[in-house]
mmCIF file of all heavy atoms in Angstrom:
data_model
loop_
_atom_site.group_PDB
_atom_site.id
_atom_site.type_symbol
_atom_site.label_atom_id
_atom_site.label_comp_id
_atom_site.label_asym_id
_atom_site.label_seq_id
_atom_site.Cartn_x
_atom_site.Cartn_y
_atom_site.Cartn_z
ATOM 1 N N VAL X 162 37.646 -63.723 -17.535
ATOM 2 C CA VAL X 162 38.948 -63.257 -18.016
ATOM 3 C C VAL X 162 39.931 -64.416 -17.937
ATOM 4 O O VAL X 162 40.017 -65.097 -16.902
ATOM 5 C CB VAL X 162 39.473 -62.075 -17.174
ATOM 6 C CG1 VAL X 162 40.885 -61.688 -17.612
ATOM 7 C CG2 VAL X 162 38.536 -60.875 -17.286
ATOM 8 N N LEU X 163 40.657 -64.676 -19.024
ATOM 9 C CA LEU X 163 41.756 -65.644 -19.032
ATOM 10 C C LEU X 163 43.054 -64.860 -19.149
ATOM 11 O O LEU X 163 43.254 -64.144 -20.128
ATOM 12 C CB LEU X 163 41.621 -66.628 -20.194
ATOM 13 C CG LEU X 163 40.360 -67.502 -20.199
ATOM 14 C CD1 LEU X 163 40.341 -68.395 -21.435
ATOM 15 C CD2 LEU X 163 40.283 -68.362 -18.932
ATOM 16 N N ARG X 164 43.919 -64.992 -18.166
ATOM 17 C CA ARG X 164 45.143 -64.201 -18.114
ATOM 18 C C ARG X 164 46.310 -64.962 -18.732
ATOM 19 O O ARG X 164 46.308 -66.183 -18.788
ATOM 20 C CB ARG X 164 45.467 -63.820 -16.668
ATOM 21 C CG ARG X 164 44.344 -63.024 -16.000
ATOM 22 C CD ARG X 164 44.562 -62.862 -14.505
ATOM 23 N NE ARG X 164 43.395 -62.248 -13.886
ATOM 24 C CZ ARG X 164 42.344 -62.919 -13.441
ATOM 25 N NH1 ARG X 164 42.305 -64.249 -13.552
ATOM 26 N NH2 ARG X 164 41.332 -62.286 -12.889
ATOM 27 N N LYS X 165 47.319 -64.216 -19.149
ATOM 28 C CA LYS X 165 48.484 -64.795 -19.812
ATOM 29 C C LYS X 165 49.137 -65.849 -18.931
ATOM 30 O O LYS X 165 49.414 -65.626 -17.759
ATOM 31 C CB LYS X 165 49.505 -63.702 -20.144
ATOM 32 C CG LYS X 165 50.767 -64.230 -20.821
ATOM 33 C CD LYS X 165 51.688 -63.112 -21.224
ATOM 34 C CE LYS X 165 53.026 -63.642 -21.738
ATOM 35 N NZ LYS X 165 52.882 -64.576 -22.860
ATOM 36 N N GLY X 166 49.367 -67.029 -19.517
ATOM 37 C CA GLY X 166 50.067 -68.101 -18.836
ATOM 38 C C GLY X 166 49.228 -68.892 -17.855
ATOM 39 O O GLY X 166 49.711 -69.862 -17.256
ATOM 40 N N GLU X 167 47.958 -68.546 -17.693
ATOM 41 C CA GLU X 167 47.092 -69.227 -16.736
ATOM 42 C C GLU X 167 46.638 -70.575 -17.299
ATOM 43 O O GLU X 167 46.336 -70.692 -18.481
ATOM 44 C CB GLU X 167 45.879 -68.339 -16.469
ATOM 45 C CG GLU X 167 45.090 -68.670 -15.228
ATOM 46 C CD GLU X 167 44.079 -67.576 -14.916
ATOM 47 O OE1 GLU X 167 43.394 -67.120 -15.853
ATOM 48 O OE2 GLU X 167 43.987 -67.176 -13.753
ATOM 49 N N PHE X 168 46.583 -71.566 -16.424
ATOM 50 C CA PHE X 168 46.145 -72.915 -16.819
ATOM 51 C C PHE X 168 44.871 -73.208 -16.046
ATOM 52 O O PHE X 168 44.895 -73.515 -14.851
ATOM 53 C CB PHE X 168 47.230 -73.939 -16.480
ATOM 54 C CG PHE X 168 47.070 -75.258 -17.193
ATOM 55 C CD1 PHE X 168 47.873 -75.571 -18.286
ATOM 56 C CD2 PHE X 168 46.128 -76.180 -16.779
ATOM 57 C CE1 PHE X 168 47.733 -76.793 -18.942
ATOM 58 C CE2 PHE X 168 45.977 -77.391 -17.423
ATOM 59 C CZ PHE X 168 46.779 -77.701 -18.511
ATOM 60 N N SER X 169 43.724 -73.102 -16.735
ATOM 61 C CA SER X 169 42.424 -73.171 -16.069
ATOM 62 C C SER X 169 41.614 -74.361 -16.551
ATOM 63 O O SER X 169 41.736 -74.791 -17.699
ATOM 64 C CB SER X 169 41.619 -71.890 -16.328
ATOM 65 O OG SER X 169 42.329 -70.751 -15.891
ATOM 66 N N ALA X 170 40.765 -74.869 -15.657
ATOM 67 C CA ALA X 170 39.816 -75.924 -16.004
ATOM 68 C C ALA X 170 38.417 -75.326 -16.070
ATOM 69 O O ALA X 170 38.047 -74.495 -15.231
ATOM 70 C CB ALA X 170 39.854 -77.036 -14.974
ATOM 71 N N LEU X 171 37.646 -75.752 -17.062
ATOM 72 C CA LEU X 171 36.233 -75.406 -17.164
ATOM 73 C C LEU X 171 35.447 -76.691 -16.947
ATOM 74 O O LEU X 171 35.574 -77.637 -17.719
ATOM 75 C CB LEU X 171 35.917 -74.808 -18.535
ATOM 76 C CG LEU X 171 34.450 -74.461 -18.806
ATOM 77 C CD1 LEU X 171 33.959 -73.371 -17.859
ATOM 78 C CD2 LEU X 171 34.261 -74.017 -20.260
ATOM 79 N N ILE X 172 34.656 -76.729 -15.871
ATOM 80 C CA ILE X 172 33.923 -77.930 -15.529
ATOM 81 C C ILE X 172 32.431 -77.612 -15.444
ATOM 82 O O ILE X 172 32.031 -76.449 -15.410
ATOM 83 C CB ILE X 172 34.407 -78.550 -14.198
ATOM 84 C CG1 ILE X 172 34.096 -77.605 -13.022
ATOM 85 C CG2 ILE X 172 35.896 -78.870 -14.262
ATOM 86 C CD1 ILE X 172 34.343 -78.239 -11.658
ATOM 87 N N GLY X 173 31.630 -78.656 -15.401
ATOM 88 C CA GLY X 173 30.183 -78.502 -15.287
ATOM 89 C C GLY X 173 29.495 -79.715 -15.866
ATOM 90 O O GLY X 173 30.079 -80.468 -16.655
ATOM 91 N N PRO X 174 28.240 -79.944 -15.491
ATOM 92 C CA PRO X 174 27.507 -81.112 -15.995
ATOM 93 C C PRO X 174 27.257 -81.020 -17.484
ATOM 94 O O PRO X 174 27.330 -79.939 -18.084
ATOM 95 C CB PRO X 174 26.190 -81.066 -15.205
ATOM 96 C CG PRO X 174 26.039 -79.640 -14.777
ATOM 97 C CD PRO X 174 27.429 -79.120 -14.569
ATOM 98 N N SER X 175 26.972 -82.149 -18.091
ATOM 99 C CA SER X 175 26.609 -82.172 -19.511
ATOM 100 C C SER X 175 25.399 -81.270 -19.733
ATOM 101 O O SER X 175 24.465 -81.270 -18.936
ATOM 102 C CB SER X 175 26.288 -83.598 -19.955
ATOM 103 O OG SER X 175 27.425 -84.424 -19.832
ATOM 104 N N GLY X 176 25.429 -80.502 -20.812
ATOM 105 C CA GLY X 176 24.327 -79.600 -21.112
ATOM 106 C C GLY X 176 24.397 -78.265 -20.410
ATOM 107 O O GLY X 176 23.467 -77.461 -20.504
ATOM 108 N N SER X 177 25.509 -77.995 -19.718
ATOM 109 C CA SER X 177 25.627 -76.738 -18.972
ATOM 110 C C SER X 177 26.063 -75.572 -19.851
ATOM 111 O O SER X 177 26.046 -74.419 -19.403
ATOM 112 C CB SER X 177 26.609 -76.899 -17.810
ATOM 113 O OG SER X 177 27.904 -77.262 -18.286
ATOM 114 N N GLY X 178 26.488 -75.860 -21.095
ATOM 115 C CA GLY X 178 26.890 -74.796 -22.004
ATOM 116 C C GLY X 178 28.385 -74.683 -22.210
ATOM 117 O O GLY X 178 28.861 -73.713 -22.816
ATOM 118 N N LYS X 179 29.153 -75.682 -21.766
ATOM 119 C CA LYS X 179 30.612 -75.606 -21.866
ATOM 120 C C LYS X 179 31.084 -75.510 -23.312
ATOM 121 O O LYS X 179 31.941 -74.685 -23.644
ATOM 122 C CB LYS X 179 31.271 -76.812 -21.182
ATOM 123 C CG LYS X 179 30.996 -76.932 -19.699
ATOM 124 C CD LYS X 179 31.824 -78.023 -19.044
ATOM 125 C CE LYS X 179 31.584 -79.403 -19.626
ATOM 126 N NZ LYS X 179 30.186 -79.871 -19.473
ATOM 127 N N SER X 180 30.549 -76.358 -24.180
ATOM 128 C CA SER X 180 30.976 -76.342 -25.584
ATOM 129 C C SER X 180 30.580 -75.030 -26.265
ATOM 130 O O SER X 180 31.349 -74.473 -27.054
ATOM 131 C CB SER X 180 30.386 -77.528 -26.340
ATOM 132 O OG SER X 180 30.923 -78.746 -25.867
ATOM 133 N N THR X 181 29.387 -74.527 -25.946
ATOM 134 C CA THR X 181 28.954 -73.242 -26.505
ATOM 135 C C THR X 181 29.889 -72.129 -26.063
ATOM 136 O O THR X 181 30.305 -71.291 -26.868
ATOM 137 C CB THR X 181 27.508 -72.925 -26.051
ATOM 138 O OG1 THR X 181 26.638 -73.957 -26.517
ATOM 139 C CG2 THR X 181 27.049 -71.591 -26.601
ATOM 140 N N LEU X 182 30.241 -72.133 -24.787
ATOM 141 C CA LEU X 182 31.153 -71.112 -24.268
ATOM 142 C C LEU X 182 32.521 -71.224 -24.928
ATOM 143 O O LEU X 182 33.122 -70.206 -25.302
ATOM 144 C CB LEU X 182 31.280 -71.260 -22.755
ATOM 145 C CG LEU X 182 32.192 -70.257 -22.048
ATOM 146 C CD1 LEU X 182 31.754 -68.825 -22.311
ATOM 147 C CD2 LEU X 182 32.231 -70.533 -20.544
ATOM 148 N N LEU X 183 33.000 -72.447 -25.099
ATOM 149 C CA LEU X 183 34.308 -72.645 -25.733
ATOM 150 C C LEU X 183 34.290 -72.151 -27.179
ATOM 151 O O LEU X 183 35.259 -71.540 -27.646
ATOM 152 C CB LEU X 183 34.695 -74.119 -25.676
ATOM 153 C CG LEU X 183 36.199 -74.403 -25.636
ATOM 154 C CD1 LEU X 183 36.773 -73.941 -24.312
ATOM 155 C CD2 LEU X 183 36.482 -75.884 -25.819
ATOM 156 N N ASN X 184 33.202 -72.396 -27.892
ATOM 157 C CA ASN X 184 33.095 -71.931 -29.277
ATOM 158 C C ASN X 184 33.118 -70.407 -29.362
ATOM 159 O O ASN X 184 33.672 -69.839 -30.302
ATOM 160 C CB ASN X 184 31.811 -72.467 -29.912
ATOM 161 C CG ASN X 184 31.905 -73.931 -30.268
ATOM 162 O OD1 ASN X 184 32.990 -74.489 -30.380
ATOM 163 N ND2 ASN X 184 30.756 -74.571 -30.418
ATOM 164 N N ILE X 185 32.529 -69.747 -28.383
ATOM 165 C CA ILE X 185 32.539 -68.279 -28.382
ATOM 166 C C ILE X 185 33.917 -67.760 -28.016
ATOM 167 O O ILE X 185 34.433 -66.839 -28.656
ATOM 168 C CB ILE X 185 31.448 -67.745 -27.433
ATOM 169 C CG1 ILE X 185 30.077 -67.982 -28.058
ATOM 170 C CG2 ILE X 185 31.656 -66.254 -27.136
ATOM 171 C CD1 ILE X 185 28.908 -67.597 -27.186
ATOM 172 N N ILE X 186 34.546 -68.351 -27.003
ATOM 173 C CA ILE X 186 35.905 -67.942 -26.638
ATOM 174 C C ILE X 186 36.850 -68.133 -27.827
ATOM 175 O O ILE X 186 37.719 -67.292 -28.088
ATOM 176 C CB ILE X 186 36.411 -68.744 -25.420
ATOM 177 C CG1 ILE X 186 35.610 -68.360 -24.172
ATOM 178 C CG2 ILE X 186 37.902 -68.509 -25.188
ATOM 179 C CD1 ILE X 186 35.902 -69.237 -22.967
ATOM 180 N N GLY X 187 36.657 -69.222 -28.561
ATOM 181 C CA GLY X 187 37.509 -69.499 -29.715
ATOM 182 C C GLY X 187 37.090 -68.758 -30.964
ATOM 183 O O GLY X 187 37.667 -68.970 -32.031
ATOM 184 N N SER X 188 36.084 -67.899 -30.839
ATOM 185 C CA SER X 188 35.536 -67.093 -31.950
ATOM 186 C C SER X 188 35.052 -67.951 -33.115
ATOM 187 O O SER X 188 35.022 -67.508 -34.258
ATOM 188 C CB SER X 188 36.539 -66.035 -32.431
ATOM 189 O OG SER X 188 37.617 -66.589 -33.136
ATOM 190 N N LEU X 189 34.655 -69.193 -32.807
ATOM 191 C CA LEU X 189 34.017 -70.045 -33.805
ATOM 192 C C LEU X 189 32.535 -69.706 -33.930
ATOM 193 O O LEU X 189 31.889 -70.065 -34.906
ATOM 194 C CB LEU X 189 34.184 -71.516 -33.421
ATOM 195 C CG LEU X 189 35.621 -72.046 -33.393
ATOM 196 C CD1 LEU X 189 35.651 -73.449 -32.823
ATOM 197 C CD2 LEU X 189 36.254 -72.012 -34.773
ATOM 198 N N ASP X 190 32.012 -69.022 -32.918
ATOM 199 C CA ASP X 190 30.628 -68.581 -32.908
ATOM 200 C C ASP X 190 30.599 -67.205 -32.246
ATOM 201 O O ASP X 190 31.484 -66.864 -31.459
ATOM 202 C CB ASP X 190 29.768 -69.583 -32.126
ATOM 203 C CG ASP X 190 28.280 -69.459 -32.428
ATOM 204 O OD1 ASP X 190 27.911 -68.607 -33.270
ATOM 205 O OD2 ASP X 190 27.490 -70.211 -31.832
ATOM 206 N N ARG X 191 29.592 -66.424 -32.560
ATOM 207 C CA ARG X 191 29.479 -65.087 -31.989
ATOM 208 C C ARG X 191 28.383 -65.062 -30.931
ATOM 209 O O ARG X 191 27.365 -65.747 -31.060
ATOM 210 C CB ARG X 191 29.166 -64.059 -33.082
ATOM 211 C CG ARG X 191 30.295 -63.844 -34.080
ATOM 212 C CD ARG X 191 29.933 -62.733 -35.048
ATOM 213 N NE ARG X 191 30.899 -62.547 -36.104
ATOM 214 C CZ ARG X 191 31.834 -61.598 -36.119
ATOM 215 N NH1 ARG X 191 31.927 -60.758 -35.101
ATOM 216 N NH2 ARG X 191 32.670 -61.479 -37.153
ATOM 217 N N PRO X 192 28.579 -64.267 -29.869
ATOM 218 C CA PRO X 192 27.531 -64.163 -28.852
ATOM 219 C C PRO X 192 26.307 -63.434 -29.381
ATOM 220 O O PRO X 192 26.406 -62.604 -30.291
ATOM 221 C CB PRO X 192 28.209 -63.366 -27.727
ATOM 222 C CG PRO X 192 29.312 -62.618 -28.389
ATOM 223 C CD PRO X 192 29.769 -63.462 -29.541
ATOM 224 N N THR X 193 25.147 -63.739 -28.804
ATOM 225 C CA THR X 193 23.926 -63.019 -29.139
ATOM 226 C C THR X 193 23.962 -61.617 -28.557
ATOM 227 O O THR X 193 23.492 -60.650 -29.160
ATOM 228 C CB THR X 193 22.704 -63.774 -28.591
ATOM 229 O OG1 THR X 193 22.748 -65.131 -29.056
ATOM 230 C CG2 THR X 193 21.403 -63.131 -29.052
ATOM 231 N N ALA X 194 24.529 -61.496 -27.367
ATOM 232 C CA ALA X 194 24.721 -60.208 -26.712
ATOM 233 C C ALA X 194 25.999 -60.289 -25.890
ATOM 234 O O ALA X 194 26.466 -61.378 -25.552
ATOM 235 C CB ALA X 194 23.534 -59.866 -25.825
ATOM 236 N N GLY X 195 26.578 -59.124 -25.563
ATOM 237 C CA GLY X 195 27.843 -59.106 -24.847
ATOM 238 C C GLY X 195 29.011 -59.030 -25.807
ATOM 239 O O GLY X 195 28.832 -59.025 -27.037
ATOM 240 N N ARG X 196 30.223 -59.009 -25.253
ATOM 241 C CA ARG X 196 31.406 -58.781 -26.089
ATOM 242 C C ARG X 196 32.536 -59.734 -25.736
ATOM 243 O O ARG X 196 32.706 -60.128 -24.575
ATOM 244 C CB ARG X 196 31.895 -57.334 -25.935
ATOM 245 C CG ARG X 196 30.820 -56.293 -26.159
ATOM 246 C CD ARG X 196 31.385 -54.888 -26.074
ATOM 247 N NE ARG X 196 32.056 -54.498 -27.313
ATOM 248 C CZ ARG X 196 32.794 -53.401 -27.438
ATOM 249 N NH1 ARG X 196 33.003 -52.613 -26.412
ATOM 250 N NH2 ARG X 196 33.356 -53.111 -28.605
ATOM 251 N N LEU X 197 33.309 -60.073 -26.759
ATOM 252 C CA LEU X 197 34.523 -60.870 -26.623
ATOM 253 C C LEU X 197 35.711 -60.009 -27.025
ATOM 254 O O LEU X 197 35.702 -59.396 -28.096
ATOM 255 C CB LEU X 197 34.456 -62.116 -27.523
ATOM 256 C CG LEU X 197 35.768 -62.871 -27.760
ATOM 257 C CD1 LEU X 197 36.249 -63.545 -26.480
ATOM 258 C CD2 LEU X 197 35.604 -63.902 -28.877
ATOM 259 N N PHE X 198 36.728 -59.965 -26.169
ATOM 260 C CA PHE X 198 37.961 -59.259 -26.459
ATOM 261 C C PHE X 198 39.107 -60.270 -26.496
ATOM 262 O O PHE X 198 39.258 -61.087 -25.591
ATOM 263 C CB PHE X 198 38.267 -58.216 -25.377
ATOM 264 C CG PHE X 198 37.250 -57.099 -25.289
ATOM 265 C CD1 PHE X 198 36.082 -57.268 -24.568
ATOM 266 C CD2 PHE X 198 37.477 -55.888 -25.925
ATOM 267 C CE1 PHE X 198 35.150 -56.250 -24.479
ATOM 268 C CE2 PHE X 198 36.552 -54.859 -25.844
ATOM 269 C CZ PHE X 198 35.377 -55.046 -25.117
ATOM 270 N N ILE X 199 39.895 -60.219 -27.551
ATOM 271 C CA ILE X 199 41.082 -61.062 -27.669
ATOM 272 C C ILE X 199 42.293 -60.144 -27.723
ATOM 273 O O ILE X 199 42.415 -59.303 -28.616
ATOM 274 C CB ILE X 199 41.024 -61.945 -28.928
ATOM 275 C CG1 ILE X 199 39.840 -62.915 -28.836
ATOM 276 C CG2 ILE X 199 42.334 -62.723 -29.083
ATOM 277 C CD1 ILE X 199 39.669 -63.789 -30.057
ATOM 278 N N GLU X 200 43.174 -60.296 -26.727
ATOM 279 C CA GLU X 200 44.339 -59.423 -26.590
ATOM 280 C C GLU X 200 43.926 -57.950 -26.647
ATOM 281 O O GLU X 200 44.570 -57.130 -27.306
ATOM 282 C CB GLU X 200 45.385 -59.762 -27.654
ATOM 283 C CG GLU X 200 45.953 -61.165 -27.480
ATOM 284 C CD GLU X 200 47.243 -61.381 -28.242
ATOM 285 O OE1 GLU X 200 47.331 -60.951 -29.409
ATOM 286 O OE2 GLU X 200 48.166 -61.967 -27.653
ATOM 287 N N GLY X 201 42.833 -57.629 -25.973
ATOM 288 C CA GLY X 201 42.359 -56.260 -25.890
ATOM 289 C C GLY X 201 41.583 -55.772 -27.096
ATOM 290 O O GLY X 201 41.098 -54.637 -27.106
#
């Protein structure tokens, strides 16, 4: 969950899936399973 006004860092080693996760959060890609909610 990313809350309003929060300033968060996403860290992890190369190949950990950070870019994939960012693409899903940004709705540039869709998850295979599970759900994304934007503003509810």
Side-chain angles (χ1 to χ4, degrees):
V162 175
L163 299 178
R164 302 170 187 88
K165 179 176 173 56
E167 197 169 45
F168 197 103
S169 302
L171 177 64
I172 66 171
S175 297
S177 60
K179 298 188 300 299
S180 293
T181 300
L182 181 57
L183 209 68
N184 285 341
I185 288 176
I186 292 172
S188 72
L189 296 172
D190 198 1
R191 293 185 185 260
T193 306
R196 308 183 80 190
L197 166 68
F198 296 83
I199 297 178
E200 295 197 317

